[in-house]
Amino acid sequence: MAGRDSGFPKVVLVVLDGLGAETAFAEFGWLEALTVSGRAARWTMTCCLPSLSRPLYHTVLSGLPPLAHGIVSNEINVPAREETVFTVARANGRKTAASASHWFAELYHANPYVPAEHREVDDPQAVIQHGRYYSTFDCPDEEVFHAAGSLIRRHAPDFLLLHAPACDTIGHRFGGQSAEYRRTASMAGDLIARYGTDWLEQGYRLVVTADHGMDDIGWHGGTRPAARQVPFYVVGARVSGAQTAPADQLSVAPTVLSLLGLPVPAGMTGVVLG
Ligand SMILES: [Zn+2]
């Protein structure tokens, strides 16, 4: 069953866990081709601190730094209360979906998260109306993209979050300068090309970024550039090419809302990019 197109501007936000900017720019053939041919813009973005996943998942979606939203450790597992791209989209009648780690379900859907109850969600009243959540960071990126592709075919959401774990998992195992990490990033870039081509044809704009990067010993959390610098691509932006102006992670949420044609809450102070 195909979902009905709402006619609103639509966005897929891809968050690749633990993918640093340098590796992304070196390995992403399709996105770099779009960038040099004038169809996409990309920035080197500095992530907030601490450069950790759960704090920055919520930063990416709320536009607030961890010091403001209070989730400053992966071990602080609480439901989020702040406005996010999801809450603004729902308040404006837009359809939302996610193919993501269950940590996003814990933030935005159900806490405690019970896999058998919450791993597949189709609930028109939920903040994330259509959710497909995986429970282990060993889940292959390919399965996460297939689940996202299925959600788009079935439900045609206006906003879909795709969060893929492999770069972080492999980066921790082999380090951020390893051949394994580069290959994993390259395969993620290929998945983005395969699915992104279809999604662009269906009228989606595509935003690709990471929560944080990965240093040479396979770690992140602090201030090293390899852990803090992440890619930020917008396919279908007003500007194009490799941008040299500094970009801050607080810009992700307001930029996505702007692409969706939705109001940006006053608390989201980041500059709209693109
Ligand atoms: Zn990590």
Side-chain angles (χ1 to χ4, degrees), residues 168 172 212 220:
D168 190 72
H172 281 301
H212 53 73
H220 57 85

Side-chain angles (χ1 to χ4, degrees), residues 227-249:
R228 285 199 79 183
Q229 293 189 340
V230 296
F232 187 73
Y233 291 91
V234 180
V235 187
R238 285 183 294 270
V239 298
S240 63
Q243 306 293 306
T244 53
D248 186 283
Q249 197 166 35

Side-chain angles (χ1 to χ4, degrees), residues 17-103:
D17 208 295
L19 177 63
E22 183 188 344
T23 301
F25 299 160
E27 303 302 335
F28 281 179
W30 182 68
L31 282 168
E32 286 297 312
L34 292 179
T35 300
V36 298
S37 65
R39 294 182 57 196
R42 62 105 146 140
W43 289 258
T44 302
M45 177 169 275
T46 303
C47 80
C48 289
L49 292 172
S51 52
L52 292 169
S53 286
R54 198 188 302 267
L56 299 183
Y57 295 169
H58 192 35
T59 290
V60 162
L61 287 155
S62 70
L64 299 171
L67 285 184
H69 62 59
I71 299 173
V72 297
S73 163
N74 283 338
E75 306 309 317
I76 298 179
N77 179 6
V78 294
R81 290 184 298 267
E82 293 78 13
E83 287 189 285
T84 65
V85 174
F86 287 117
T87 65
V88 175
R90 292 290 298 118
N92 287 276
R94 306 296 175 87
K95 197 189 290 184
T96 55
S99 173
S101 157
H102 74 288
W103 287 18

Side-chain angles (χ1 to χ4, degrees), residues 105-273:
E106 290 171 340
L107 281 166
Y108 305 122
H109 183 70
N111 196 321
Y113 173 82
V114 179
E117 187 176 345
H118 301 126
R119 71 185 296 273
E120 291 188 8
V121 178
D122 291 294
D123 176 359
Q125 304 306 318
V127 171
I128 302 175
Q129 294 166 298
H130 302 284
R132 301 292 181 269
Y133 303 105
Y134 54 88
S135 299
T136 165
F137 271 54
D138 284 317
C139 179
D141 281 359
E142 197 157 6
E143 297 298 334
V144 183
F145 276 81
H146 293 336
S150 168
L151 285 169
I152 286 179
R153 282 192 181 206
R154 287 190 185 186
H155 302 293
D158 301 304
F159 173 60
L160 180 135
L161 167 73
L162 190 167
H163 163 257
C167 291
D168 190 72
T169 302
I170 298 301
H172 281 301
R173 212 166 283 161
F174 298 100
Q177 293 293 325
S178 64
E180 291 85 350
Y181 181 71
R182 285 176 51 190
R183 275 200 290 269
T184 302
S186 179
M187 288 190 287
D190 187 65
L191 284 164
I192 293 170
R194 286 154 56 188
Y195 275 104
T197 300
D198 283 348
W199 296 339
L200 292 174
E201 276 179 14
Q202 292 168 46
Y204 284 88
R205 286 178 175 156
L206 189 59
V207 178
V208 178
T209 189
D211 49 353
H212 53 73
M214 184 67 62
D215 73 16
D216 55 335
I217 65 161
W219 207 244
H220 57 85
T223 62
R224 290 180 196 282
R228 285 199 79 183
Q229 293 189 340
V230 296
F232 187 73
Y233 291 91
V234 180
V235 187
R238 285 183 294 270
V239 298
S240 63
Q243 306 293 306
T244 53
D248 186 283
Q249 197 166 35
L250 300 184
S251 288
V252 178
T255 298
V256 171
L257 285 171
S258 172
L259 290 168
L260 286 164
L262 292 173
V264 177
M268 295 187 187
T269 57
V271 176
V272 172
L273 300 171

